[in-house]
Amino acid sequence: MSGMVSSLLERFHMNADKNTKNLPSPPTDDELNKLKEKYRSVNQDHVFHYWDELAPAEKSMLFQQLSDIDPEHVKEIAETALKPTKTEEGDATPTLEPLPEDATASIMDSSKDDLERWNEHGLNLIANNKVGVVLMAGGQGTRLGSSEPKGCYNIGLPSAKSLFQLQAERIVKVQELAAKKFEKESVVVPWYVMTSGPTRQPTEEFFEKHDYFGLQKENVLIFEQGVLPCLSNEGKILMEDRMKVAVAPDGNGGLYQAMFLNSVISDMDKRGTRHIHAYCVDNCLVKVADPVFIGFAAAKEVEIATKVVRKRNAKESVGLIVQKNGKPDVVEYSEIDTETSEAKDSNNSELLRFRAANIVNHYYSYKFLQSIPQWAHKLPHHVARKKIPCIDLEKNEKIKPEKPNGMKLEKFVFDCFPFLKMEKFACLEVKREDEFSPLKNAKGTGEDDPDTSKADIMKQGTRWLQEAGAVVLSEREDVGVEVSPLISYAGEGLSNVKGQNIKAPAVIERQKATNS
């Protein structure tokens, strides 16, 4: 195992923005020549273009960064991504099938008994401290007009809560529900928050400022995903400036390696965590550590399970969870022809045959995550053409391109799905209006923006209250009620509102969460 970990450390560049304090001394001539030869051998020695002009501290910074990069590996993954072999591209006409019936279930079609059984099983695992949560929160709110981490964003709720706060309070509540159900004094669901270089410090500061939203600090572990060098369209490493390589996060598929190298897996082992829920920060409706989902996956004894929502129509631009060449996989909408996307379910002509829309909401067994060193290096890299600010070595000037001038190499979190046998994978269909409202676009866009996120939470609160017997009074249909996660996790615990008139817009809140 230690050899595998060492290999991972050598082959993947994990943290470009290392602490510049206590930098080592500039390298010796021998150390420098050896490093130069590594880059020269793969025709990447231009990274030393400004070496002789750098101050000693600058040389130390560049030498450390270049030492952390394996140029031979960068060359390999760039060549593979740009010129994939037929095997890596997949068959010209892969066999696509919906997942087998015994691998799937739907919240809409499942019996009340099944739902209650899964919920109780999940709560029992939570009550016995067997469940952990992994949050992918590396993105900034750039498209939202904010330079802060996306999790810090306030979508405009009456409570002014951020995405981080909403999700933290759901953890607080599910801990309370499990503790009450199984008469436990203390229940802990550890929260592992993956950030990126630009978002780590502001995320840590935001959590500190808000006292971890009622969670204990020692149960919130913030770590950083890896990075890879940005490349020109010809495969050359780009320089951000004279003393720094341009780098970018390695995609949400970098989660696995980051978890292993940042001791997240070992922390899970120490805590006895055996069931893990992972999701993206931008979904304001996410049921964090959902006991129904945890119970469903654990009962089926699978290594990975995923939540999906029903595709709205044949043209919706979403990836789909399918069986591809007999293996669980995700296919992008662009990979499916019109005939396939429009095909109807043979058992129900009102439904699409391929309708399981991927929402990046997954369950993992600890056993599967423990095996990361055995397969992390097999994850493919995907090319994303981007506008990358860099220094033009020929003109000796910094450029801010107006069109894509290079590429970032990314891994996708679902690319490990095909490593599993079909019987070790499961899928749970959930209601979109209850569990999926992504925040992708700037305010005013009208789709997946702050206004739609806010509206979906307010509509959900209104439904919960009405189902509990309250009357929600509103002058407009688009105005609702925000129900704090500290009051209700999924619509439970609202019997006290029966018969009450509640005028919208409103927020039903309790006092600030106490540390639990």
Side-chain angles (χ1 to χ4, degrees), residues 118-138:
W118 294 335
N119 185 61
E120 183 162 346
H121 189 22
L123 284 175
N124 188 22
L125 291 169
I126 291 168
N128 285 286
N129 298 329
K130 299 294 184 184
V131 175
V133 172
V134 173
L135 167 60
M136 291 170 270

Short mmCIF file of all heavy atoms in Angstrom, two decimals, residues 118-138:
data_model
loop_
_atom_site.label_atom_id
_atom_site.label_comp_id
_atom_site.label_asym_id
_atom_site.label_seq_id
_atom_site.Cartn_x
_atom_site.Cartn_y
_atom_site.Cartn_z
N TRP A 118 -36.08 1.71 4.56
CA TRP A 118 -34.80 2.33 4.18
C TRP A 118 -34.47 3.48 5.12
O TRP A 118 -33.34 3.64 5.55
CB TRP A 118 -34.87 2.83 2.74
CG TRP A 118 -35.00 1.75 1.72
CD1 TRP A 118 -34.61 0.44 1.84
CD2 TRP A 118 -35.61 1.87 0.43
NE1 TRP A 118 -34.91 -0.26 0.68
CE2 TRP A 118 -35.53 0.59 -0.19
CE3 TRP A 118 -36.20 2.91 -0.28
CZ2 TRP A 118 -36.02 0.35 -1.49
CZ3 TRP A 118 -36.69 2.69 -1.57
CH2 TRP A 118 -36.60 1.41 -2.15
N ASN A 119 -35.47 4.30 5.44
CA ASN A 119 -35.25 5.45 6.31
C ASN A 119 -34.77 5.00 7.69
O ASN A 119 -33.82 5.56 8.25
CB ASN A 119 -36.53 6.26 6.43
CG ASN A 119 -36.35 7.54 7.23
OD1 ASN A 119 -35.56 8.40 6.87
ND2 ASN A 119 -37.06 7.65 8.34
N GLU A 120 -35.42 3.97 8.25
CA GLU A 120 -35.04 3.49 9.58
C GLU A 120 -33.64 2.88 9.55
O GLU A 120 -32.84 3.09 10.47
CB GLU A 120 -36.05 2.47 10.09
CG GLU A 120 -35.74 1.98 11.50
CD GLU A 120 -36.91 1.32 12.19
OE1 GLU A 120 -38.05 1.46 11.70
OE2 GLU A 120 -36.68 0.68 13.22
N HIS A 121 -33.33 2.13 8.49
CA HIS A 121 -32.01 1.53 8.36
C HIS A 121 -30.94 2.62 8.28
O HIS A 121 -29.90 2.55 8.96
CB HIS A 121 -31.97 0.65 7.11
CG HIS A 121 -30.73 -0.18 6.98
ND1 HIS A 121 -29.91 -0.51 8.05
CD2 HIS A 121 -30.14 -0.75 5.88
CE1 HIS A 121 -28.89 -1.25 7.62
NE2 HIS A 121 -29.01 -1.40 6.31
N GLY A 122 -31.22 3.66 7.48
CA GLY A 122 -30.27 4.76 7.36
C GLY A 122 -30.08 5.51 8.66
O GLY A 122 -28.96 5.83 9.05
N LEU A 123 -31.18 5.79 9.35
CA LEU A 123 -31.08 6.48 10.64
C LEU A 123 -30.32 5.65 11.66
O LEU A 123 -29.56 6.18 12.48
CB LEU A 123 -32.47 6.80 11.17
CG LEU A 123 -33.21 7.99 10.52
CD1 LEU A 123 -34.62 8.10 11.07
CD2 LEU A 123 -32.44 9.30 10.74
N ASN A 124 -30.49 4.34 11.60
CA ASN A 124 -29.77 3.46 12.52
C ASN A 124 -28.26 3.53 12.26
O ASN A 124 -27.46 3.60 13.21
CB ASN A 124 -30.27 2.02 12.35
CG ASN A 124 -29.71 1.08 13.41
OD1 ASN A 124 -29.28 1.52 14.48
ND2 ASN A 124 -29.69 -0.19 13.13
N LEU A 125 -27.87 3.53 10.99
CA LEU A 125 -26.45 3.66 10.65
C LEU A 125 -25.91 5.02 11.10
O LEU A 125 -24.79 5.12 11.61
CB LEU A 125 -26.25 3.47 9.15
CG LEU A 125 -26.52 2.05 8.62
CD1 LEU A 125 -26.54 2.04 7.10
CD2 LEU A 125 -25.46 1.08 9.15
N ILE A 126 -26.70 6.07 10.91
CA ILE A 126 -26.30 7.41 11.35
C ILE A 126 -26.16 7.44 12.87
O ILE A 126 -25.19 7.98 13.42
CB ILE A 126 -27.31 8.47 10.86
CG1 ILE A 126 -27.24 8.61 9.33
CG2 ILE A 126 -27.05 9.82 11.53
CD1 ILE A 126 -28.38 9.41 8.73
N ALA A 127 -27.13 6.85 13.56
CA ALA A 127 -27.11 6.84 15.03
C ALA A 127 -25.90 6.12 15.59
O ALA A 127 -25.40 6.45 16.67
CB ALA A 127 -28.39 6.18 15.56
N ASN A 128 -25.39 5.16 14.83
CA ASN A 128 -24.21 4.40 15.27
C ASN A 128 -22.91 4.95 14.68
O ASN A 128 -21.89 4.25 14.68
CB ASN A 128 -24.40 2.93 14.92
CG ASN A 128 -25.39 2.24 15.84
OD1 ASN A 128 -25.09 1.96 17.00
ND2 ASN A 128 -26.60 1.99 15.35
N ASN A 129 -22.98 6.19 14.20
CA ASN A 129 -21.79 6.90 13.70
C ASN A 129 -21.08 6.14 12.57
O ASN A 129 -19.85 6.10 12.50
CB ASN A 129 -20.81 7.18 14.85
CG ASN A 129 -21.42 8.07 15.91
OD1 ASN A 129 -22.26 8.92 15.61
ND2 ASN A 129 -21.02 7.87 17.15
N LYS A 130 -21.88 5.57 11.67
CA LYS A 130 -21.33 4.82 10.54
C LYS A 130 -21.40 5.59 9.23
O LYS A 130 -21.00 5.08 8.18
CB LYS A 130 -22.09 3.49 10.37
CG LYS A 130 -22.00 2.54 11.56
CD LYS A 130 -20.58 2.04 11.76
CE LYS A 130 -20.50 1.03 12.88
NZ LYS A 130 -19.09 0.61 13.15
N VAL A 131 -21.92 6.83 9.28
CA VAL A 131 -22.17 7.59 8.05
C VAL A 131 -21.35 8.87 8.03
O VAL A 131 -21.25 9.58 9.04
CB VAL A 131 -23.67 7.93 7.93
CG1 VAL A 131 -23.93 8.82 6.71
CG2 VAL A 131 -24.49 6.65 7.82
N GLY A 132 -20.74 9.17 6.89
CA GLY A 132 -20.00 10.41 6.69
C GLY A 132 -20.47 11.08 5.41
O GLY A 132 -21.13 10.47 4.56
N VAL A 133 -20.13 12.35 5.27
CA VAL A 133 -20.56 13.14 4.11
C VAL A 133 -19.35 13.80 3.47
O VAL A 133 -18.50 14.38 4.16
CB VAL A 133 -21.59 14.22 4.53
CG1 VAL A 133 -21.87 15.16 3.38
CG2 VAL A 133 -22.86 13.58 5.03
N VAL A 134 -19.28 13.73 2.15
CA VAL A 134 -18.22 14.40 1.39
C VAL A 134 -18.86 15.44 0.49
O VAL A 134 -19.76 15.13 -0.29
CB VAL A 134 -17.41 13.39 0.54
CG1 VAL A 134 -16.42 14.14 -0.37
CG2 VAL A 134 -16.68 12.40 1.42
N LEU A 135 -18.40 16.67 0.63
CA LEU A 135 -18.93 17.79 -0.15
C LEU A 135 -17.88 18.25 -1.17
O LEU A 135 -16.74 18.54 -0.81
CB LEU A 135 -19.29 18.95 0.78
CG LEU A 135 -19.57 20.31 0.12
CD1 LEU A 135 -20.73 20.22 -0.86
CD2 LEU A 135 -19.84 21.36 1.19
N MET A 136 -18.27 18.30 -2.43
CA MET A 136 -17.40 18.84 -3.48
C MET A 136 -17.69 20.34 -3.61
O MET A 136 -18.73 20.73 -4.12
CB MET A 136 -17.64 18.11 -4.80
CG MET A 136 -17.14 16.67 -4.78
SD MET A 136 -17.66 15.69 -6.22
CE MET A 136 -19.23 15.02 -5.63
N ALA A 137 -16.77 21.17 -3.09
CA ALA A 137 -17.02 22.60 -2.99
C ALA A 137 -15.84 23.41 -3.51
O ALA A 137 -15.47 24.42 -2.93
CB ALA A 137 -17.33 22.97 -1.54
N GLY A 138 -15.26 22.96 -4.62
CA GLY A 138 -14.09 23.65 -5.15
C GLY A 138 -14.40 24.85 -6.01
O GLY A 138 -13.52 25.66 -6.30
#
